[in-house]
């Protein structure tokens, strides 16, 4: 995620190396190193499975960076970040429905309690806020500082 964000900022010539920027990069790399060393003993499975999971994590990070870039462009096309966030979340919901169907057919238990409606409402607001923020923050901060803040 950070590599993609850094690449986006380099391509847009928005990199300004300051001590705060370097401190953020160093803290992020330190956090990754600590997390990696702490999780080595908990890894199980064969090498192929571990490599596939690692590649999946890298792919997810790249996808989050691309989502921010696409939402920024979508906000320009649709006229506002709120519209961009709504479109992004509706699209995610549409793609999530077939995924849910496949999981139910694969006997993965699905539990939904109507009494938890407020949790789902808060999750929706949080997702909309996150998506809207990713369309707005890179405009003023750049991608690298935005993702450093997200990671922090």
């Amino acid at each position: 995620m950070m590599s993609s964000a850094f690449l986006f900022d380099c391509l847009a010539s928005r990199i300004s190396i300051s001590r705060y920027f370097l401190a953020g990069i160093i803290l992020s790399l330190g956090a990754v190193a600590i997390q990696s060393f702490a999780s080595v003993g908990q890894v199980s499975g064969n090498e192929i499975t571990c490599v596939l999971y690692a590649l999946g994590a890298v792919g997810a990070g790249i996808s989050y960076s691309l989502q921010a870039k696409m939402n920024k462009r979508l906000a320009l096309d649709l006229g506002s970040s709120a519209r961009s966030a709504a479109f992004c979340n509706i699209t995610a919901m549409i793609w999530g429905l077939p995924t849910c169907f496949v999981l139910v057919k694969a006997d993965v238990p699905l539990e939904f309690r109507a009494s938890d409606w407020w949790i789902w409402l808060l999750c929706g607001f949080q997702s909309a806020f996150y998506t809207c923020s990713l369309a707005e923050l890179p405009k003023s901060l750049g991608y690298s500082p935005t993702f450093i803040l997200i990671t922090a």
Side-chain angles (χ1 to χ4, degrees):
M1 180 168 62
M2 289 301 303
S3 300
S4 299
F6 191 68
L7 177 67
F8 293 156
D9 284 340
C10 284
L11 293 174
S13 301
R14 294 197 63 179
I15 296 291
S16 62
I17 306 296
S18 68
R19 64 180 181 195
Y20 298 114
F21 181 79
L22 287 175
I25 294 291
I26 290 168
L27 285 173
S28 294
L29 291 175
V32 168
I34 290 169
Q35 182 64 39
S36 296
F37 289 126
S39 64
V40 166
Q42 300 172 358
V43 174
S44 62
N46 61 28
E47 292 83 14
I48 294 173
T49 304
C50 293
V51 168
L52 288 176
Y53 281 128
L55 290 175
V58 169
I62 291 170
S63 297
Y64 274 114
S65 299
L66 288 175
Q67 178 188 12
K69 188 121 177 111
M70 287 187 244
N71 281 341
K72 179 181 169 187
R73 176 62 192 178
L74 192 59
L76 292 173
D77 290 344
L78 295 179
S80 76
S81 296
R83 290 179 186 150
S84 169
F87 185 83
C88 179
N89 288 322
I90 288 170
T91 305
M93 184 182 71
I94 290 169
W95 280 101
L97 290 175
T99 304
C100 182
F101 179 75
V102 168
L103 292 174
V104 168
K105 287 293 184 187
D107 292 329
V108 175
L110 175 67
E111 184 177 330
F112 179 78
R113 291 185 297 245
S115 62
D116 292 338
W117 66 268
W118 62 275
I119 295 172
W120 291 104
L121 185 66
L122 288 175
C123 287
F125 283 134
Q126 186 274 333
S127 180
F129 176 76
Y130 176 78
T131 307
C132 193
S133 296
L134 284 183
E136 284 297 317
L137 286 176
K139 292 178 190 174
S140 57
L141 297 177
Y143 288 98
S144 299
T146 298
F147 283 105
I148 288 171
L149 288 172
I150 288 171
T151 304

